[in-house]
Each structure stands twice: as C-alpha cells, then as structure tokens.
Amino acid sequence: MVNLFKKVIFYLIVGLLLNSAVYSEDSFFDDEVIFEDSDEGFDEWSDDSDIFGEDELEIEKPFSWLDLGVSQKWGFNPASDYTTSMERTELKLGTSGSISDSGYGEIEIKATKYWPSDSNYATESSDVEVEKAFVQFSFDDWSTKLGRHTIGWGELEGGALDVINPSGGLTDPSMISQWFLSATRYFDSSDLSFFYNTNPRVIKSTLFTLKNKSYDEFGVRYGMSAEGGDTAIYLAQLVPNNALINLSDGLVYATPYHLLGFGMNKAFDDYLLKFDLAYKQNLQHNRLGQFVKTNRIDWDLAFDIQKNDRTIVLSINSQYLLDFNNDYLTPTTTGGVSTDRNNMTYMSRISDKFGDSDWSWNASHSILSNNDLSMSSAGIDWDINDNWKASFGALYADAKPDRALSIFDEYQRVSLEVNFQY
Amino acid sequence: MNRLILNNLKSNLFIALISIFFILCSSITIAETKLTALEIMEKVDEESRKSTDSAFTRMKLTSCKYGKKDGKIKCAEKARIKLVESAQINTGDDNQDTKSVSIILEPASEKGIGMLSYSYDDSNRDNETWLYLSALGKVKRISVRNSDDEETESASIFGTEMTTEDQETGKLDDYTYELLEQGKFRGREVAVIESTPKPYRLSKSSYGKTQSWIDTERFISLKVQMFDKYNNPIKRLEVGKVEKINDVWMGRSLTFFNTVSNRLTNMKLEAINFDMDIQEDFLTQRALTDQAFREKYLKDLRKQAK
C-alpha cells in the first residue's frame, strides 16, 4: 500500500513537471515579445517601463497661458533669377480662456516685420493687426459671439457659399477674419445662427478708393444634422469680398447682393460628397457702357476621399449668369474682356504623409474660369517636433493672354516657411 | 513470474492513468474557465462599457519612434506629447452605442482642435466623426473608413498610433472567437482569444485577426496582438497600471506598438471618473463650436475628476 502511494506521488510529480513544461513552451504566456525580426526581441514589458524618461515629460510649461508663434517666410521668383519677393518675420501672441462662469474669450495679435527685399517693404516696413479677438457667452440654448473671428459657410472651402470672409487671393487662400456679432440657437439636432457685420472687409487695389458707402452685411443659417449627412439653408445680404471696377467711370464699387443657398454633405464609405447651391441676386456686372446688376446661380460639387493618411479632394464649381447678355464684360488691368455665361472651375488636390508621419506632401491643380487660368502647386511640410515646423512650396500659373486672369500668366513662386510655436 | 510482471505492469499502468486523470483535472481547474470565447469577449465588452459610460478622462498621448537600449524599449527621438480631454457616454438601445467629444489641450499648435464621434454597435450603421477647424470657422464631417478597399486602414486618432478601430467597442457579432489557450500571464489567469472578423467586417477592418490576452477574473485585456490580412503581426497593445477605479478594473497606461514603423503611442490616463453627469446635449456639434458652453461643461467635469 505504501509502495502504491509512493508510485502515485511519483507519477503525479512527473506528470506535473511534464504539465508545467508544456505551459512553459507555450509562447502565449512567454512575456518576451518577439517581433518579425528576431533581433527586435524585447525584455519583459512592465508597468514601470520608463520609455520616455518621465522626469522630462513632467516639466511644467512656464507662461502656459501664453500662446507664442514666430514665423519666418521667404518667397523667391524663379522666373527672375530667384530674386527674393517675400522676406518677412511674423510674431503672434495670444491667449484664451474662460471669462466668468458662462463666458470664453480668445485674442491673437500678429506683428509683421517686412525686410527690404520683401515686395511689401515699399508700402510698409512693419504692421500690427488683430488676427482674432472675441468673447463668447453661452446661456441655456443660446450662444453669442462678439469680436473678430471667422465664419465658414457652405461645404466646399472657397466654394459657392463660403463667401463671408475674404481670402488672401488666388495665391494665398487663407481666410481673413472680420468683426462680427453672431448668435446661435441650438435645438436637438439642428441650429439656427445669425451674424451681423457693420463694416465688411472689401479687398481692392490700394490705387482705388471705394466709390460707394460701406454697407452692412448680415445672414441667417439653419443647419440640420442627421446620421450620415448634414444639410443647411442660408439667407443673407452680403457685400462682395472683392471690389469691382466700373469700366464706365473707372471707379471701384462693392454694392450688396442677396443670397439664398443650400448646402449638404453625405458620407459614402471613404467618400464625403459635398454640394453647395446658391442663388445670388443683384450682383454688379459690367456691360458695354453700363454698370448693371444681374442674377447668378452658383453651385459646386466636391468629393473628399480619405485613404489612410492620404486625402484627395476633387471639386467642380460653376457660376451661371441667369440674365446674360453678349456684351457682358469682365474687367482686366488693361480694360475689359468678354464674359462667358457659364464659368467653370475644376480643382484637384492630394496630400499624404511619409517618413513616419513627420513629413507630408501635397499637390494641387486648378483650372479656373473656363481654362483662362491653370495653376499647379506642390509642397512638402516637415513636422520637426511639437514646437518646430517647416514647409516648402512651389506654385506655377499659366494664363491665357487677353483674358481676365492674364495678369497671372507665367506667375512662379517658390516659398519657404519656418514656424516655432510655444 | 510473467503473471507477476504482468500484474505489476497493470498496477503501474492503472496508477499512471489515475495520475494522468488527476493531473489533467488539476490543470483544467487551474486554468480553464467555463465561459466560451464569445462569452468572455461579451464580459470584456461589458466591463469596457462600464469604463466608458459617463466617463471624463484627461489623457496624455506620447508618441515616438522607438528602439532598444540596454535591453529596454526607449524612445529614439524626442517624444511628441498631446494632452487630450475627453467626455463619453453610452447611449442607444441597451447602451450599446457611444458618443464622445475630445479636445486637444497641448501642444500649442493643435490647441482647441475638437473631435466629436458617434460609434454605433450595429454593424449596418457607420460611425460618424466631426472636427472643428477654427481657422475656417466651421465644423467638418470626416469620412470614416468603411469601404471594401482592403489596403485602407482606419483613421489615426490625432496623428498617433491609435486608430478609430482600436477604440471601437461592441460589434461583437462581426467577429468569430476562438479560445486558443489558457494559463498564467503576468501573474494573472488569462485566456488567449483570437478574434477573426467575418467577411463583411474584414473588408472594413485594418486587421486580419487579433489575439487578446484576457484576465479571466477582471475581464480586461492585458495585451492585444494585431495581425494584418496576410497573418503578419503589425501592432501590439500592452496594458499597464491596472487599477480598480469606481469598482471597474482598467489599465491607466496603454501602449500601442506599431511593429512595422517602429513607432509607439502611450496613452496615460491622468484623470478619470465614471458615472458623471454628462448630458447627451453636450455631445453634439455645439461642444465644438460653442467654446463658452464647452469650457463651462468641462470645468464642472474637471472639478469632479480625480
């Protein structure tokens, strides 16, 4: 009996050893991680693994309330032996935060120093402007915002409805903020917003003075959000972002027009379909010997396609004059050229990341105004670290002679920008 | 003599068989849980939902290219740090859907960028994401990965190694589960479960399969290995600093290793609180456009968070 008991214990021990050997051979419970390349085996993962050097990460940022940005920008013209056409330094100072229990405010001031080789230096050697300055208060379902900020309308950036804030022009599409009073009433899955601007910004040449008085600008947007898509309706009285030369008297005007619009987006798989439609009434236009008001239908259709980090945007934009006459003219620097009834613009843009996502590239091609102007651009951005960024870009334009945009013919620009943000 | 040897052999064989039976029984009682792979994953999903329901978190996302130094994983470059606040609730039928809003606090260059996400349990409903772009003064809907293109990956979250697919909960019916092994891992009883997406899900997923090391007592993942559609390991999640917070077990440090690009992202939960009073009204596009409304709400949540 004792022997039998000994044997049972012997087999149990042998069995348990074998059993534990089976487990120890099982890679699922081996904590050493073996990657595809066997050289990349790592030690046991631990909660205390000090990957980052925690001391370094815990350093508190002094002046954490202050947002500081410094940019150095250069632009060169390859068509003219790479002479410097832009050399400027920008300093941005800003802060943001709560004001009382239900308020919030943001301010950002930009100071620019133009260096002698900058084309703007002849006009001004330095400039200080308020980029952003607003306060916002929120009560129940209402929100109000007062100050200098940007309001984006429509689905396509720069499209038929994105007409409230002027942009820097064809070669600089960034938006210019304006002074607004705006308010929004929020509902369950929709919102009604309103804005008012007593002094809309109008882009014009410094050589001209606006002939007519300044008009107020105001508008209403009702947006609805549903699963898979959003829609919005727009109604506004707007002042054109760009002043128009009256070919009859040689002066420039910016007279209000009325807008009724509709915008929608719809997600399909990787695609986002965007559509804007606008009826614009009382737009100023030149006719032979006359300065008239006309009506126009603008629409755009765009696809945003997202594939990993690659983004592709394809868009078509149309401006169709409803009451067209053959003697309609579009001003140029040297006079006026004939206007087409339907004005089509096509745009394609692609951007992607490479090199461990620190680098990204982009390329775009646009055909504007029924191929009066063709513009290509390419750029590389380097996200050096959380504070430093650099970007390099090139732009080339080819315009038809004797057409509205012929001033851009053979336009070339190579640009370099370095940013520091703290 | 022969009979004696035969009897002795029989006796030994009998004892050996009895011993093997006991050994097998003992090994089964040590490691085996009575739950099936699907039941384990359902419990994991249930626990995961507890940790996301009415939750407010402040997390630090640290990303870098990594390498090995003195046998330890180290950043091979200056790490990039994002500080993000996030509020999330479960909603819909049986609280199977989630709504969340995340706001970047740091770095300065991305401060204020907000993301609103609706994630649906029903595989026929596509998840939705919106971003607020302050420079354009508008909210932009983002097309989320849903196509049948097998080469497409789901979107990265704020440029980190985490993707929207890594954050997904629910959709358990979209996968088949197999219990690969059970045993001890890092001192815990675990079950290793392989999740394979069903054909309709495979076309929408970045992964061909995942293997999860599930703590069978706490029902949280301690480690997840992700494979591509050609069965190559491509990403790994390591869960650390497991703590019980408000009666819910969770990891406060999650590290995603992209073993193809050799980049990692560590998500460290600096503050977290559950069962907070987060209204569905807050998780709308208003939280992106109305900063006063958002700050007022977040201020209340920050006071409660620990």
Side-chain angles (χ1 to χ4, degrees), chain A residues 4 7-8 11-12 15-16 19 23 26 28-31 33 35-36 39-43 45 47-48 50-52 54 56-58 61 64-65 67 96 98 100-104 106 132 134 136-143 145 150-157 175 186 188 225-230 265 267 269-272 274 304-309 353 356 358 383-387 389 421-422, chain B residues 8 11-12 15-16 19 22-23 26-27 31 60 62 64-68 70-75 77-81 107-109 111 120 125-126 128 130 132 134-138 140-141 143-147 149 151-153 159 180-186 190 192 211 213 223 232-233 236 238-242 255 257 259-264 266 268 285-286 289-293 295-296 299:
Chain A
L4 182 70
K7 281 175 186 172
V8 168
Y11 283 116
L12 275 172
L16 282 170
N19 199 30
Y23 275 119
D26 193 336
F28 284 123
F29 306 110
D30 183 352
D31 209 9
V33 181
F35 287 5
E36 283 177 290
D39 290 341
E40 293 188 13
F42 294 120
D43 285 355
W45 175 255
D47 283 3
D48 302 322
D50 179 23
I51 298 174
F52 311 111
E54 287 290 328
E56 187 188 334
L57 300 184
E58 296 301 332
K61 176 184 160 186
S64 57
W65 52 271
D67 297 325
S96 61
S98 297
S100 72
D101 276 349
S102 54
Y104 173 86
E106 259 184 53
K132 214 179 335 182
F134 67 83
Q136 190 170 25
F137 291 94
S138 188
F139 304 99
D140 297 326
D141 294 327
W142 285 91
S143 173
K145 198 171 181 178
T150 306
I151 296 175
W153 268 17
E155 295 298 326
L156 180 68
E157 288 77 49
M175 303 276 261
Y186 292 92
D188 282 348
S225 189
E227 194 174 326
D230 309 291
N265 66 55
D269 297 332
D270 290 335
Y271 310 101
L272 184 70
K274 301 192 286 193
D304 278 9
I305 304 163
Q306 193 79 38
K307 302 270 183 191
N308 305 340
D309 290 322
K353 289 186 174 175
D356 299 330
D358 293 343
D383 200 358
I384 303 165
N385 56 39
D386 280 343
N387 302 114
K389 286 178 178 53
Q421 200 143 15
Y422 176 80
Chain B
N8 203 17
S11 162
N12 283 347
I15 293 163
S19 303
F22 277 112
I23 290 159
S26 71
S27 65
K60 185 187 272 181
T62 312
C64 67
K65 195 169 177 68
Y66 66 84
K68 190 177 144 188
D70 301 329
K72 291 202 165 189
I73 302 166
K74 291 279 181 188
C75 275
E77 61 183 10
K78 189 179 178 191
R80 291 165 192 245
I81 303 163
S109 57
K111 187 177 173 183
Y120 302 111
R125 297 171 74 187
D126 291 329
E128 300 182 280
W130 297 266
Y132 178 63
S134 62
L136 300 176
K138 68 194 281 190
K140 192 175 160 100
R141 181 184 280 268
S143 54
V144 182
R145 158 88 187 109
N146 290 304
S147 81
D149 181 351
E151 298 305 317
T152 304
E153 293 170 10
L180 296 181
E181 196 54 83
Q182 296 186 75
K184 274 207 180 270
F185 181 71
R186 294 180 195 157
V190 299
V192 182
Q211 291 172 348
W213 280 247
K223 174 181 168 179
N232 300 310
R236 182 167 56 94
E238 297 281 358
V239 180
K241 299 193 192 313
V242 175
T255 309
F257 294 88
T259 53
V260 178
S261 65
N262 280 358
R263 291 185 69 85
L264 65 81
N266 173 261
K268 186 177 170 190
Q285 291 186 32
R286 183 178 184 184
T289 55
D290 186 351
Q291 286 108 321
F293 169 75
E295 281 304 308
K296 183 182 171 185
K299 212 188 285 178

Side-chain angles (χ1 to χ4, degrees), chain B residues 47-64:
Chain B
E47 288 300 306
S48 168
R49 284 181 194 285
K50 282 185 198 165
S51 71
T52 57
D53 194 20
S54 301
F56 172 71
T57 53
R58 185 162 59 248
M59 56 192 132
K60 185 187 272 181
L61 301 169
T62 312
S63 303
C64 67

Side-chain angles (χ1 to χ4, degrees), chain B residues 14-237:
Chain B
F14 173 73
I15 293 163
L17 286 172
I18 291 285
S19 303
I20 288 165
F21 172 76
F22 277 112
I23 290 159
L24 285 174
C25 282
S26 71
S27 65
I28 288 165
T29 49
I30 286 168
E32 191 165 287
T33 163
K34 289 171 186 170
L35 300 172
T36 65
L38 176 62
E39 285 168 340
I40 292 171
M41 294 309 286
E42 281 171 347
K43 282 200 166 283
V44 170
D45 191 54
E46 194 181 310
E47 288 300 306
S48 168
R49 284 181 194 285
K50 282 185 198 165
S51 71
T52 57
D53 194 20
S54 301
F56 172 71
T57 53
R58 185 162 59 248
M59 56 192 132
K60 185 187 272 181
L61 301 169
T62 312
S63 303
C64 67
K65 195 169 177 68
Y66 66 84
K68 190 177 144 188
K69 190 180 177 188
D70 301 329
K72 291 202 165 189
I73 302 166
K74 291 279 181 188
C75 275
E77 61 183 10
K78 189 179 178 191
R80 291 165 192 245
I81 303 163
K82 291 187 204 303
L83 196 59
V84 177
E85 278 184 337
S86 177
Q88 181 167 329
I89 59 165
N90 294 340
T91 181
D93 295 339
D94 300 323
N95 278 347
Q96 296 290 300
D97 303 330
T98 59
K99 289 185 176 183
S100 69
V101 68
S102 303
I103 311 293
I104 297 183
L105 306 178
E106 288 177 22
S109 57
E110 295 172 39
K111 187 177 173 183
I113 293 177
M115 185 169 83
L116 173 72
S117 299
Y118 292 175
S119 175
Y120 302 111
D121 180 64
D122 183 351
S123 51
N124 293 319
R125 297 171 74 187
D126 291 329
N127 298 340
E128 300 182 280
T129 303
W130 297 266
L131 276 180
Y132 178 63
L133 307 171
S134 62
L136 300 176
K138 68 194 281 190
V139 172
K140 192 175 160 100
R141 181 184 280 268
I142 304 296
S143 54
V144 182
R145 158 88 187 109
N146 290 304
S147 81
D148 294 342
D149 181 351
E150 296 205 354
E151 298 305 317
T152 304
E153 293 170 10
S154 50
S156 159
I157 294 176
F158 296 135
T160 67
E161 296 305 320
M162 281 161 46
T163 64
T164 46
E165 187 176 1
D166 296 331
Q167 296 282 77
E168 268 184 12
T169 53
K171 292 188 167 66
L172 291 177
D173 294 340
D174 290 6
Y175 298 85
T176 55
Y177 300 100
E178 186 186 350
L179 182 58
L180 296 181
E181 196 54 83
Q182 296 186 75
K184 274 207 180 270
F185 181 71
R186 294 180 195 157
R188 305 290 310 166
E189 290 297 333
V190 299
V192 182
I193 292 175
E194 188 168 278
S195 311
T196 308
K198 290 176 181 171
Y200 64 90
R201 177 69 195 181
L202 183 66
S203 63
K204 296 181 177 185
S205 175
S206 304
Y207 309 126
K209 68 176 183 184
T210 57
Q211 291 172 348
S212 306
W213 280 247
I214 308 293
D215 184 326
T216 50
E217 186 189 348
R218 297 168 176 173
F219 294 102
I220 65 163
S221 298
L222 299 179
K223 174 181 168 179
V224 181
Q225 177 71 59
M226 295 86 153
F227 297 82
D228 67 11
K229 290 167 186 174
Y230 307 101
N231 216 21
N232 300 310
I234 52 170
K235 200 151 88 174
R236 182 167 56 94
L237 164 65

Side-chain angles (χ1 to χ4, degrees), chain A residues 141-204:
Chain A
D141 294 327
W142 285 91
S143 173
T144 58
K145 198 171 181 178
L146 175 66
R148 187 163 182 137
H149 60 281
T150 306
I151 296 175
W153 268 17
E155 295 298 326
L156 180 68
E157 288 77 49
L161 292 166
D162 191 14
V163 288
I164 300 174
N165 292 86
S167 74
L170 276 175
T171 54
D172 179 14
S174 59
M175 303 276 261
I176 300 167
S177 57
Q178 295 193 92
W179 296 94
F180 293 112
L181 166 65
S182 61
T184 304
R185 166 74 163 88
Y186 292 92
F187 302 96
D188 282 348
S189 54
S190 61
D191 61 84
L192 180 69
S193 56
F194 164 84
F195 79 87
Y196 191 82
N197 181 0
T198 55
N199 187 23
R201 172 94 176 251
V202 178
I203 307 289
K204 61 173 182 56

Side-chain angles (χ1 to χ4, degrees), chain A residues 14 294 405 418:
Chain A
V14 171
T294 185
L405 300 166
V418 181

